[in-house]
Amino acid sequence: MSTSFRRHCLASAIALMSAGASAQDTAAGAPPPATEARSNKLEQVVVTSQGRKEMLQSVPVAVKAFSARQIEDAGIKSTQDFMDLTPNVSFDQSFTYGNSFVVIRGVSEINNADSPVAVVVDGVPQNDQKQLKMNLVDVARIEVLKGPQGSLYGRNAVGGAIVIDTKQPANELQGFAKLDYSTGNTVDLNGGVSGALVKDKVLFRIVGQSKTSHGLVTNSYRNAKADPIGHDNTLRAKLMVLASEDVQLDFRASTNRFQAGASWDNLIRDGNLNARYAPTSNVLGQSVGGTDEFTFKADVETRLGTLTAITNHTRLTEKFASDGDFSNPDDPLGGIAGPLSRGQGKDRRIRMTSQEIRLTSPGDRPLRWIAGLYYLAKDLDWTEKSYADTTGLPWQYESVPTTRRNDFKNKASAVFGQIEYDLDPLTKLAAGLRYDHDARQRIDLLNGNTTVDAGFDAWQPKLTLTRKLGAEALGYATYSTGFRSGGFNTTAADNPVFKAENLRNLEAGYKGSFLDGRLSLNAAAFYSHSTDFQYFYIKVLPGPVLSGRIGNIDKVTIKGLDLDFRYLAAQGLEFDGGLGLAGSRIKANAAEPATVGNHTPKNSPWKATFGAQYSTALGQGLAGQARLDVEVRSRKYWHPDNVLVSDGVTLLNARLGVRDARDRWSATLYGRNLGNRFYYADVNGKTYNGWGAPIDAIGSRGTPRVVGIELSVKM
């Protein structure tokens, strides 16, 4: 690579950071000032999910991408928000403040195991389930890749990958502040500042957020909110050092601390998932925790390409205590453990260190490639507590007897590579391969440090053929694979080790642009075969003590469709939406033969989304915007026996805002779940190896109606 070319790249990068609202920034995700007339074409979104910057419509992968402008227009503030807008993806929160479950193309997340999606934030894999739920502040781009992405993203990308990039430091001094007040006396305050310590050489960006809430779900026994947020505070800092024409160094540090409610599940004695039951626990649960993270990234231009090294160290803690039977002493039937009221608690302390090194060839050659190595060391100290509770009075977590304590160690390593070759000007062939190895160990710290070892590994190939079908369209065919590591249940009794999950996927897709760039239409049909499909259930052990368990379903098939569109009907009037179909069926299950032919746990056969947005000048130096989003969810099958099924639900969100035409301030009214539809975000009940008490299910209510106002200023 010539010195003049490197100088040009460096100058261009600095110009882009300084320009703020240039056309290039808009493609990369920054919103344009309101004074700029909206283009008569759709915004061109840049994605990086395949290891290099590419236009969304040229990437042969089913990707739902959100630019910075789209994030702001749709009011995306959390993981929940963008997943609600993505067909064939669902995201639900339950049990503790940091707990969440994502389901993508029928592959579901489960408690105490690895995620079915690889989550990458600013280039760093998030290697714990508790890292997926996050507040999104100052985000430049979100990409949701559907289908297994094992060859590039490795283990746990069995269902797909989520890539989130926060905004980079700017050369010129700039800042912002936002205040959000909504139902439940919820206050969300965030802001940031960016600029240069040494112009064109050392740039910084600091962002902070603080959130509190009285809560939205009422415990009818205690006559108090069960899901308050005492505080959720985050501080994130970035430092970019342009050391030379060929070297860029990035430092990123963040810290988070939270205190909130926990375990606001309610009893569903009759199995009626449409009845509006309320939590009746005599103990109001509480969760506390936080995350500290430091990342160092170096990009070095060489003759072969860009050498990238990413080092990350993360410490994560979460401690919760709550009612264990979801009932109270005044209930003659008791809870899921019978008439005796019980409590429960868990303490998770995690340390993770990861290192990735990869070499990426230039993107302007007929033969392009990526090669890399990855290593992760993870240590999880897991403590469980159980206690008799008949008073309902506040109690001290530390004084509760420990029932189980394990140290889970995980050392993972991988080698990966991908090659793309232009067979001719219209046809491209890409091949990827990755080998992942997981060495896991469980040490029982209460039983003589008894140690159990297990190893899991897999080769994950991928092959894609892409063909241009004219200047504005392409078709592709893909064979891809995914691997989710196995692991240990928290007790040595019955099924102490659960197996790794492997998935093979065949997919055919189409991406096209029409009407001179005003309409984009993307479609992908897929067929997947999963072996040892992982799922979660609850068992009552002697005591009685509740224990979450992970099991395997021998064989599962999933077939479906992803369809999404964007349409600029007129200047300022835009529509978007999509449809996701995912028919996931059990084909073999030795543990429960009667479930063969049923839907897999947490499967929603289909989901549709539709959005309409209108922007216009209001005069007097003002601009207005209105947006409507509709999400239609199908029925949801919670367990392999398909006995507990939630009916479909339609959720309606709306936004109405006004802003200064120079984009210096804005005010927006918004509402979520405006119809106040009742639904469950999570349900557990009598299933294989389930509890024996006279309770059909427990459920965690989804978010009820929320209305609020946002105020923001920029400088």
Side-chain angles (χ1 to χ4, degrees):
M1 184 179 294
S2 69
T3 301
S4 61
F5 180 73
R6 291 194 293 266
R7 285 183 181 141
H8 173 74
C9 291
L10 180 63
S12 298
I14 294 174
L16 284 175
M17 290 184 286
S18 303
S22 67
Q24 291 93 334
D25 274 321
T26 302
T35 50
E36 288 189 14
R38 294 277 181 158
S39 170
N40 60 358
K41 294 186 178 183
L42 289 170
E43 175 191 15
Q44 296 297 303
V45 179
V46 173
V47 295
T48 60
S49 52
Q50 296 302 290
R52 61 180 81 245
K53 290 184 177 181
E54 300 173 276
M55 304 308 296
L56 172 63
Q57 289 301 103
S58 66
V59 177
V61 179
V63 183
K64 177 71 173 179
F66 302 87
S67 67
R69 198 202 90 185
Q70 291 170 311
I71 292 169
E72 183 173 323
D73 288 349
I76 294 173
K77 307 168 195 173
S78 68
T79 317
Q80 180 81 65
D81 296 338
F82 74 80
M83 292 198 189
D84 286 349
L85 298 173
T86 306
N88 261 336
V89 177
S90 68
F91 180 84
D92 299 307
Q93 304 173 48
S94 73
F95 205 65
T96 67
Y97 181 65
N99 213 39
S100 62
F101 303 95
V102 61
V103 183
I104 181 167
R105 284 189 174 181
V107 184
S108 59
E109 185 163 21
I110 50 183
N111 263 330
N112 311 331
D114 291 330
S115 171
V117 295
V119 181
V120 180
V121 179
D122 288 338
V124 178
Q126 309 294 288
N127 290 294
D128 189 79
Q129 178 191 9
K130 306 294 183 177
Q131 293 179 287
L132 179 56
K133 178 185 179 294
M134 63 186 85
N135 299 318
L136 300 175
V137 179
D138 204 37
V139 173
R141 182 187 303 106
I142 302 168
E143 303 167 36
V144 183
L145 291 75
K146 289 178 272 189
Q149 307 294 324
S151 64
L152 274 183
Y153 291 93
R155 63 180 202 138
N156 308 332
V158 63
I162 296 171
V163 180
I164 299 174
D165 292 324
T166 59
K167 293 181 180 178
Q168 292 283 51
N171 217 355
E172 302 299 326
L173 184 65
Q174 56 183 239
F176 72 93
K178 293 183 180 181
L179 172 64
D180 186 322
Y181 181 80
S182 62
T183 304
N185 199 28
T186 302
V187 179
D188 186 349
L189 178 64
N190 63 76
V193 63
S194 183
L197 297 177
V198 179
K199 194 173 181 64
D200 300 339
K201 291 291 185 182
V202 183
L203 315 178
F204 74 92
R205 194 174 194 98
I206 300 174
V207 176
Q209 181 189 37
S210 179
K211 185 174 184 178
T212 61
S213 176
H214 287 177
L216 302 172
V217 178
T218 300
N219 180 309
S220 61
Y221 182 78
R222 295 293 301 271
N223 192 28
K225 295 299 182 184
D227 60 334
I229 303 172
H231 63 263
D232 185 353
N233 301 325
T234 300
L235 181 65
R236 183 176 73 233
K238 281 186 172 184
L239 185 69
M240 176 189 294
V241 179
L242 302 170
S244 70
E245 295 176 347
D246 299 325
V247 179
Q248 177 178 311
L249 307 177
D250 293 286
F251 303 85
R252 181 183 186 272
S254 66
T255 185
N256 167 266
R257 293 293 182 273
F258 70 84
Q259 177 179 324
S263 190
W264 47 88
D265 297 63
N266 58 260
L267 298 174
I268 311 171
R269 297 187 187 278
D270 56 3
N272 184 0
L273 301 188
N274 296 314
R276 295 193 173 216
Y277 298 114
T280 58
S281 302
N282 58 304
V283 173
L284 294 176
Q286 186 179 84
S287 58
V288 297
T291 303
D292 297 307
E293 182 179 2
F294 176 78
T295 301
F296 169 69
K297 178 183 178 184
D299 290 300
V300 180
E301 295 295 336
T302 72
R303 292 183 178 181
L304 290 176
T306 303
L307 179 64
T308 301
I310 303 175
T311 305
N312 173 264
H313 181 71
T314 299
R315 297 183 66 180
L316 187 152
T317 62
E318 183 195 43
K319 179 167 60 178
F320 88 89
S322 69
D323 200 302
D325 68 348
F326 309 99
S327 184
N328 59 77
D330 297 335
D331 187 338
L333 296 178
I336 58 178
L340 177 62
S341 183
R342 289 273 177 180
Q344 62 176 318
K346 290 184 176 68
D347 188 347
R348 302 171 80 250
R349 301 175 184 272
I350 300 171
R351 292 187 178 185
M352 296 180 288
T353 301
S354 65
Q355 178 68 58
E356 180 172 339
I357 299 175
R358 67 174 181 264
L359 185 61
T360 305
S361 73
D364 57 352
R365 299 175 183 177
L367 179 64
R368 302 168 297 280
W369 48 266
I370 299 173
L373 300 170
Y374 177 76
Y375 177 78
L376 166 71
K378 178 178 179 179
D379 190 297
L380 164 61
D381 188 316
W382 174 290
T383 301
E384 294 186 45
K385 302 191 176 189
S386 178
Y387 63 99
D389 167 66
T390 57
T391 65
L393 298 176
W395 49 274
Q396 295 296 319
Y397 176 90
E398 301 300 339
S399 65
V400 177
T402 295
T403 57
R404 283 193 294 273
R405 187 183 178 197
N406 292 292
D407 186 11
F408 296 94
K409 297 182 182 295
N410 177 208
K411 292 185 178 180
S413 56
V415 56
F416 61 92
Q418 180 168 292
I419 297 175
E420 295 180 326
Y421 181 65
D422 295 333
L423 300 175
D424 59 48
L426 301 179
T427 310
K428 177 177 68 177
L429 181 65
L433 182 64
R434 183 178 182 121
Y435 175 74
D436 276 279
H437 181 266
D438 256 6
R440 294 182 179 254
Q441 185 179 75
R442 184 187 66 198
I443 305 173
D444 189 337
L445 300 178
L446 291 185
N447 292 288
N449 291 340
T450 305
T451 301
V452 180
D453 295 294
F456 307 92
D457 64 345
W459 289 95
Q460 298 174 83
K462 182 178 182 180
L463 188 66
T464 301
L465 181 66
T466 307
R467 175 77 176 181
K468 289 185 179 179
L469 306 175
E472 303 294 336
L474 64 84
Y476 64 89
T478 293
Y479 170 76
S480 57
T481 57
F483 157 70
R484 174 158 51 171
S485 182
F488 303 103
N489 279 306
T490 54
T491 60
D494 85 71
N495 191 27
V497 179
F498 57 90
K499 300 177 183 178
E501 178 180 350
N502 291 272
L503 185 141
R504 303 189 302 274
N505 179 65
L506 290 173
E507 186 166 335
Y510 170 86
K511 291 189 172 185
S513 297
F514 307 92
L515 303 178
D516 194 27
R518 293 191 295 114
L519 172 66
S520 67
L521 178 64
N522 301 331
F526 61 91
Y527 176 85
S528 302
H529 182 274
S530 174
T531 57
D532 297 318
F533 186 96
Q534 295 175 6
Y535 75 105
F536 175 83
Y537 60 92
I538 293 177
K539 185 175 182 179
V540 176
L541 301 176
V545 176
L546 296 178
S547 179
R549 317 294 288 157
I550 300 170
N552 295 98
I553 297 173
D554 299 327
K555 293 182 181 179
V556 166
T557 60
I558 310 168
K559 53 185 176 182
L561 175 72
D562 277 298
L563 177 69
D564 68 79
F565 76 93
R566 292 178 61 204
Y567 176 46
L568 185 63
Q571 188 167 330
L573 178 61
E574 185 174 327
F575 301 99
D576 60 80
L579 173 67
L581 307 177
S584 182
R585 295 285 185 171
I586 298 172
K587 294 300 181 180
N589 189 5
E592 293 182 89
T595 64
V596 172
N598 288 356
H599 291 270
T600 55
K602 297 189 177 180
N603 177 228
S604 295
W606 61 270
K607 171 181 165 180
T609 63
F610 176 77
Q613 181 172 298
Y614 180 65
S615 305
T616 185
L618 299 177
Q620 305 297 319
L622 299 177
Q625 182 171 294
R627 181 174 177 90
L628 176 70
D629 281 296
V630 182
E631 179 189 6
V632 185
R633 303 179 183 180
S634 73
R635 306 182 83 195
K636 191 159 191 170
Y637 299 82
W638 291 102
H639 305 119
D641 57 18
N642 288 184
V643 172
L644 293 170
V645 183
S646 290
D647 287 343
V649 63
T650 298
L651 304 177
L652 180 66
N653 302 332
R655 295 173 59 83
L656 181 64
V658 62
R659 68 176 63 199
D660 167 57
R662 296 177 61 186
D663 204 29
R664 295 173 300 185
W665 61 264
S666 67
T668 304
L669 296 171
Y670 68 88
R672 298 185 180 277
N673 189 9
L674 286 173
N676 200 29
R677 297 297 303 275
F678 184 92
Y679 65 97
Y680 283 109
D682 192 26
V683 172
N684 284 289
K686 287 183 180 179
T687 60
Y688 170 72
N689 277 343
W691 55 73
I695 306 295
D696 280 324
I698 56 173
S700 180
R701 183 184 177 178
T703 305
R705 177 170 51 223
V706 172
V707 295
I709 183 171
E710 300 172 9
L711 303 174
S712 70
V713 295
K714 299 177 183 178
M715 74 172 194

